[in-house]
């Protein structure tokens, strides 16, 4: 087997594929239908426990001419085809972004924008507040994944991935992706995130607390969204949701300030209220489903990282750096200094506690801190890329150290076997997000080094080697998701000859359309074997990369989710800016 990134490579990038057997290999130009005179170097990379085989890296970086190619061994084994061209990831980037439109709840998807995936509006009935008969109406937001639940933390982290990407490399988001708001003066990534932000803002109580989720009590069957008519319930306020909400509303207030000042002012006001709630409610409200409820829990036994992220963003954003008139809605504005002090004190204490709890002396694999459960590197991004450095030099250095330590660990983890920065224990539910998050961290490290050089005037050439190492490692994680893996499968619907086809996605299961909605990322291999379907084809002896089943019933290995897509959009957009 020869596995390769089935979308393709940028012309000047290092180009690798993986063979599970030795031999000699040729590069075939599929347009000409014949081999080209480019050497394919074979490097024995040793036995890879996560793949369960010897791994031979095939380096064909010598090709740079735009075209369509595939690799062939001397005994006739062929890889999937792939492209080499500038902007080879543009279509993928735009499809990953468009996928959020297909997750929209509360509106109909019109044929003009959704094509054959058009559908009527869904989940428009009033929502009951758990434990009472009171109802309220909530609007919009994205369905979380293959289910139709709407979850505050998952939504907030998803939007944060996208808004941080936009803040750090806006040039990657100039294309329109044909959604109803296209052409309204905002980039479509901001139009799409606004759809979720407007929903999130309806989850906040007057005291600033944010409700954990809006779902039915039980997962519905494999029906279309508009046929899911069971009562929707709003679950209690949690500290995790309130903290994630505070953080993402701060980012939104910055990013939308130039486009919609009223909306931006409301975002920072809601963030400020959430921040006040956090200061007044210091206990973690680790959520667990009540009796009779089986929808997504998004439990977290610690909210230290979420609070760290909230305080980092509030420290950076809930200050006078915002338009002066904003303070009129913050009666506490004359006390903004004392607010600043409390954010800074809590951020500093939170980081100290977090670092103590995550010292990895127990041999656990590295955290990435860019997902829904551990948001520590979202907090790091808030501090490191704050142009005003509100957190101060010492805290910023600690955050940079944490980020760079992880990036360096991810670089070294790809030295043998598959160049993917994963140990066996990292193949958890949503392991493709772990891979993608590690690419995101590598990119953040690269950006941080560039910005440091710009700021200090340090000769960028001294940092170039590190920057190139980080970016090459980030691309290797991307290659894994797009096909260079032991399953020889592309984990993004519609992208690659061997793209996965049968996601655990209720819309795809129920819509009677053969092709799955494109641009959706599969959760990927999970060694915990957490559903009955995967247990039919995998057991404890199955290599970590192969605990995967392209079957709609395997929800623990083959679901799709908004924060898996946003994490991968971050890395794809970076390489198509
Ligand atoms: O954090 C621990 C880690 O410390 C430990 O080493 C590892 C192995 O034991 O487990 C890690 O916890 C895992 C957690 O995800 C964080 O990665 C749990 O085992 C695992 O069960 C948990 O899975 C989550 C799953 O819901 C079940 O709760 C997935 O991350 C999460 O993406 C998924 O989310 C679902 C929603 O509930 C419902 N909507 C669909 C969505 C995607 O499947
Ligand atoms: O479809 C649900 C998926 O979104 C969740 O991630 C998963 C775990 O919470 O549960 C899925 O729903 C299944 C339920 O848990 C058990 N009965 C079968 C349901 C559909 O696969
Ligand atoms: Zn809906």
């Amino acid at each position: 087997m020869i596995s390769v990134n089935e979308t393709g490579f940028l012309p000047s990038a290092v180009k690798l594929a993986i063979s599970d057997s030795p031999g000699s290999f040729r590069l075939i130009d599929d347009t000409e239908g014949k081999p080209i005179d480019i050497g394919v170097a074979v490097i024995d990379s040793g036995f890879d426990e996560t793949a369960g085989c010897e791994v031979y890296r095939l380096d064909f970086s010598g090709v740079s001419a735009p075209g369509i190619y595939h690799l062939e061994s001397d005994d006739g084994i062929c890889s999937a085809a792939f492209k080499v061209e500038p902007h080879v990831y543009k279509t993928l980037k735009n499809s990953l972004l468009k996928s959020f439109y297909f997750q929209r709840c509360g509106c109909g998807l019109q044929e003009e924008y959704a094509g054959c995936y058009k559908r009527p509006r869904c989940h428009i009935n009033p929502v009951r507040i758990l434990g009472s008969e009171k109802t309220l109406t909530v609007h919009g937001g994205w369905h979380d994944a293959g289910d139709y639940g709407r979850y505050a933390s998952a939504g907030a982290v998803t939007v944060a991935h996208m808004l941080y990407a936009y803040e750090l490399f806006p040039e990657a988001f100039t294309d329109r992706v044909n959604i109803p708001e296209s052409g309204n003066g905002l980039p479509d990534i901001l139009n799409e995130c606004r759809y979720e932000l407007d929903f999130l803002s309806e989850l906040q109580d007057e005291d600033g607390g944010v409700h954990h989720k809006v779902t039915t009590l039980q997962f519905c069957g494999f029906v279309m969204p508009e046929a899911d008519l069971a009562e929707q319930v709003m679950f209690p306020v949690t500290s995790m949701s309130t903290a994630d909400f505070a953080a993402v509303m701060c980012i939104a207030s910055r990013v939308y300030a130039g486009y919609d000042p009223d909306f931006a002012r409301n975002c920072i006001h809601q963030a400020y209220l959430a921040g006040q709630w956090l200061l007044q409610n210091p206990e973690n409200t680790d959520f667990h489903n009540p009796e009779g409820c089986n929808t997504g829990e998004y439990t977290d036994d610690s909210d230290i990282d979420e609070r760290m992220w909230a305080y980092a963003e509030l420290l950076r954003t809930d200050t006078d750096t915002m338009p002066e008139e904003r303070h009129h809605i913050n009666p506490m504005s004359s006390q903004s200094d004392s607010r600043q002090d409390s954010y800074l004190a809590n951020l500093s204490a939170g980081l100290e506690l977090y670092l103590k709890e995550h010292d990895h002396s127990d041999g656990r694999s590295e955290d990435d801190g860019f997902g829904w459960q551990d948001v520590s590197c979202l907090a790091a991004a808030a501090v490191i890329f704050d142009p005003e450095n509100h957190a101060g030099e010492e805290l910023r250095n600690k955050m940079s150290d944490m980020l760079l330590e992880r990036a360096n660990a991810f670089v070294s983890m790809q030295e043998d076997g598959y160049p993917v920065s994963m140990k066996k224990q990292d193949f958890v539910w949503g392991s493709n997000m772990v891979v993608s998050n590690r690419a995101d961290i590598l990119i953040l490290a690269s950006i941080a080094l560039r910005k440091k050089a710009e700021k200090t005037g340090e000769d960028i050439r001294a940092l170039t080697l590190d920057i190139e190492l980080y970016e090459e490692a980030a691309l290797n994680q991307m290659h894994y998701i797009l096909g260079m893996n032991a399953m020889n499968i592309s984990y993004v619907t519609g992208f690659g000859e061997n793209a996965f086809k049968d996601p655990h996605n209720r819309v795809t299961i129920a819509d009677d359309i053969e092709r799955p909605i494109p641009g959706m990322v599969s959760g990927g291999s999970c060694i915990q074997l957490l559903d009955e379907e995967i247990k039919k084809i995998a057991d404890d002896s199955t290599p970590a990369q192969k605990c995967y089943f392209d079957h709609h019933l395997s929800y623990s290995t083959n679901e799709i989710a908004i924060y898996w897509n946003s994490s991968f959009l971050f890395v794809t957009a970076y390489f198509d800016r």
Side-chain angles (χ1 to χ4, degrees), residues 52 140 364 423:
R364 266 168 15 102
K423 295 176 181 173

Side-chain angles (χ1 to χ4, degrees), residues 155-176:
V157 167
T158 299
V159 171
H161 284 159
M162 293 158 78
L163 294 189
Y164 277 138
Y166 182 76
E167 264 201 322
L168 290 168
F169 35 94
E171 67 276 17
F173 300 102
T174 54
D175 297 335
R176 291 179 184 174

Side-chain angles (χ1 to χ4, degrees), residues 105-106 122-123 143 225:
C105 180
C122 59
H123 302 108
H143 298 140

